Every structure is written in C-alpha cells, then in structure tokens.
Amino acid sequence: MGKTVLEIENLRTSFNIKGEYYAAVDDVSLNIHENEVLAVVGESGCGKSALALSIIGLHDLKNTKLEGQVNFKGENLLNLSRARLNKIRGKDLGMIFQDPMTALNPLATIGAQIEEPMKYHMKLSSADMKKRTLEMLRRVGIKNETRIYSQYPHELSGGMRQRVVIAIALACDPVLLLADEPTTALDVTIQAQIMDLMKELQAQMKSGILLITHDLGVVAEMADRVAVMYAGQVVELAEVTDIFANPQHPYTRSLLSSIPSNLPEGGRLHVIQGIVPALQNLERTGCRFAPRIPWIQPDEHEQNPSLHEVKPGHFVRCTCYKNFHFEEEESGEEANVLT
C-alpha cells in the first residue's frame, strides 16, 4: 500500500438546527493512500456527502461546526484560512460532484470552465491552457474536443457533462480526488463507461480516490477498501473482498441482502426495517442501528459502541455483530439473507 495522502482523525461535522448543533459526521477516523480507492457507502442521510464536503471545505461555516483533524500534505484542512484552502482545492485536491448539470456554469463554455483552475493554479499562457484543455478532453474520452471546447453545458448529454466535470477535477493533476456519487444521474451504460474512465485515469495518475456512493455494484467494481457509514458513524471498515465475502456488522449484512441481484430463485427480497433517523431525533448513546433490528436483545449491544478489529484491517462497531441473525431466520421463512 502506498503512502497516506489523507488522514482523518475524529472528524465531527455538526449542523445548526433551531439553535442546537447536531453531528451528521460523528467522530469519523479514516485514511486514504495513494493509488487507492476508498469507498464510503450507506443509505441517504448517513453522512457520506457531509464527510466529503467537510474535507474540501464547502460547508456553510455560519451554520456548521467542524471538529477534529483532516490532515493533507502536512496541514489540517479544518484550520486553514479560506485563501490557503483555495490554493489547495482544484490543484492538489479535486472533486467530482454528483449532478453535472448543477456543477457546471450554464453561461460559460466548456473550455473556459476547464481552464479556470489552470488560471488560478498554473502559470500557463492562453495557448498552453487551450492545448492542455483539449488534451484533458481527449483524456476523458471526448474525441471531438475542438467542437466541445466552444460549446455550453446544455448542448451536451449527461454522460458528456460528467466527463467534463471529471476533466475539470483533473485539470491540475490532483493528489486526491473526491467523487461524490459520480454516476447517480446517468444510465447504466454510461455509468459503466464513467467507472472505466475513472479506473483508467487513476492508474495513470496514481491518485487516491474517496468514492462516495450507495451503489454496491460500483463499490465491487472500483474500491480497494470500504467504509460503511450509518447515522454519521463508520460501522465497518475492511478490504472490499472482505466486505462482500465476510460482512460482519448487521447494517452491512442487511445492505448486501437487499441487493436484488443476490436474490435466489423463489426467494423474497430482504427489507431493512425503518429509516435513518433525522439528526435531531438520533439517539446518541448505544448502538445506533439497534432500533432497526429490534429482535436482537439489548444486552447484545454495547452501551458505547467502538470499532473492534476482528481480523487485521477489518473493523466492526459494536458487539452486536457476534449474535446477529436476520429476523426471517427466527421464523423459518425463506428470504434472501447472507449467513
């Protein structure tokens, strides 16, 4: 494994709701290495995007409280001035946003938008910037780059716009790339093309990638390691092969059992009870997943759950994983469950 490019220590991101602060990212510690894809997965509302926006510094600080450390190239990003952070974002730290239509400026040409980070971070002439921009367009798989250079976002398809967003993120050869649901708005065929493109570009650049997604198929295709988040906490962290072959936490097992492609012939799709609670309604003590698996006895959960290393590099939160079983197994019903 390569050197560490990002180290997150005890990150807590809290939002102001009616005068009270509630943590959406709650004491998260992770690291990312060069030439590694770390996928962060979980349902909507688990804190994935809040984590990415905390790293790159795009939260509204008037209503957000950031605590802990996000160490990148010897600096804690949370303590930097806006001016210093702007020197890092777009250069060493790039981000691919999930909706390319809202990520792009509808009033600026594609060429101008790719050149913008170059103007800020690279000392290039206008001719060299255009040359590099055309090269970036080719690099992300756009063949008619000269025509696309002068076009506007509304003139492109969703897949083409996403390629442009990737070109902008890679314009200055970042050390770390944050990808927030990069294929959500795309159809399945285009999703596969974008995933192949990201893998190819990563192999060329040897960058670290933090991949935010809820799509476990994308995780299986792209990730080296996986962090499963629930209610603001990392509940399981392991190599991608371990997550799929030997999931431990009840939430991870429930997610995997909810995949339609895992459904055996004649089986019934597993449904996870309940929903992710709203921040202001979230119980902050005990196992946060306990309300969604009520058939597991209270004494099988920890009062203050911590991450346990169940094997080298494989961490699981709370002791409830030791005795977890699916409710269907108690009743003898046939269901799609992982044992």
Side-chain angles (χ1 to χ4, degrees):
M1 190 171 289
K3 68 178 182 180
T4 301
V5 294
L6 184 78
E7 187 174 23
I8 303 169
E9 295 182 4
N10 308 115
L11 175 64
R12 179 173 283 107
T13 303
S14 305
F15 298 124
N16 188 335
I17 302 175
K18 296 182 179 180
E20 296 287 337
Y21 280 92
Y22 300 91
V25 178
D26 202 350
D27 198 26
V28 168
S29 296
L30 293 169
N31 53 43
I32 305 171
H33 305 93
E34 65 180 7
N35 201 28
E36 177 190 43
V37 177
L38 173 65
V40 179
V41 303
E43 297 166 275
S44 296
C46 284
K48 306 185 305 298
S49 292
L51 172 64
L53 295 177
S54 299
I55 295 169
I56 203 167
L58 289 180
H59 286 303
D60 174 13
L61 295 181
K62 290 182 180 179
N63 295 297
T64 308
K65 186 189 297 181
L66 297 172
E67 302 168 272
Q69 296 188 60
V70 178
N71 298 312
F72 180 68
K73 299 189 74 172
E75 297 181 278
N76 181 4
L77 299 180
L78 302 186
N79 292 340
L80 299 183
S81 66
R82 186 64 55 182
R84 176 58 187 150
L85 194 55
N86 285 339
K87 293 289 186 181
I88 296 173
R89 291 188 299 203
K91 182 179 185 293
D92 294 322
L93 187 59
M95 185 159 185
I96 302 171
F97 296 92
Q98 61 179 291
D99 185 350
M101 199 61 212
T102 57
L104 295 171
N105 183 348
L107 303 179
T109 64
I110 298 303
Q113 295 188 62
I114 298 175
E115 288 173 359
E116 185 175 358
M118 299 181 200
K119 289 179 181 178
Y120 193 83
H121 297 293
M122 305 174 79
K123 295 179 180 180
L124 298 175
S125 66
S126 296
D128 285 341
M129 276 196 297
K130 181 171 183 179
K131 181 180 178 181
R132 182 173 174 83
T133 298
L134 294 175
E135 177 190 331
M136 292 305 305
L137 287 170
R138 288 192 296 270
R139 196 173 179 183
V140 297
I142 294 176
K143 296 179 181 178
N144 48 348
E145 66 277 3
T146 303
R147 177 169 62 84
I148 299 298
Y149 178 91
S150 302
Q151 289 188 308
Y152 290 84
H154 73 272
E155 299 179 272
L156 306 183
S157 67
M160 291 283 274
R161 287 195 294 264
Q162 190 63 294
R163 289 173 186 268
V164 170
V165 170
I166 294 173
I168 295 171
L170 298 178
C172 298
D173 294 331
V175 175
L176 177 66
L177 191 61
L178 309 179
D180 187 6
E181 303 275 11
T183 61
T184 294
L186 307 176
D187 64 50
V188 175
T189 303
I190 303 301
Q191 280 186 21
Q193 293 176 4
I194 295 298
M195 287 296 101
D196 288 343
L197 170 63
M198 288 182 64
K199 286 195 297 184
E200 180 183 339
L201 292 172
Q202 188 210 16
Q204 294 173 9
M205 298 172 60
K206 300 191 183 304
S207 300
I209 297 179
L210 180 69
L211 175 65
I212 307 289
T213 185
H214 64 270
D215 189 330
L216 292 170
V218 170
V219 172
E221 180 75 15
M222 285 285 297
D224 297 300
R225 288 189 301 140
V226 183
V228 182
M229 283 190 73
Y230 181 75
Q233 296 181 321
V234 173
V235 296
E236 188 160 2
L237 174 65
E239 300 286 332
V240 65
T241 50
D242 282 342
I243 287 290
F244 283 92
N246 190 30
Q248 295 293 311
H249 194 275
Y251 183 55
T252 310
R253 294 180 61 187
S254 298
L255 285 177
L256 291 170
S257 293
S258 301
I259 302 174
S261 60
N262 285 342
L263 189 65
E265 185 175 353
R268 182 167 57 82
L269 187 65
H270 174 71
V271 177
I272 307 175
Q273 292 188 20
I275 59 173
V276 181
L279 287 183
Q280 58 269 45
N281 299 328
L282 178 61
E283 182 60 53
R284 301 284 168 172
T285 58
C287 178
R288 298 185 181 183
F289 194 58
R292 302 182 71 177
I293 48 173
W295 60 92
I296 302 299
Q297 297 303 309
D299 61 1
E300 294 177 353
H301 299 281
E302 288 180 82
Q303 284 297 105
N304 296 292
S306 58
L307 285 171
H308 305 276
E309 190 168 17
V310 296
K311 59 177 287 191
H314 193 156
F315 298 86
V316 185
R317 187 177 297 276
C318 191
T319 53
C320 62
Y321 78 92
K322 296 180 180 179
N323 300 303
F324 175 71
H325 59 274
F326 290 95
E327 187 178 25
E328 295 89 344
E329 295 171 336
E330 282 189 345
S331 62
E333 297 179 29
E334 288 188 8
N336 173 38
V337 295
L338 299 178
T339 56

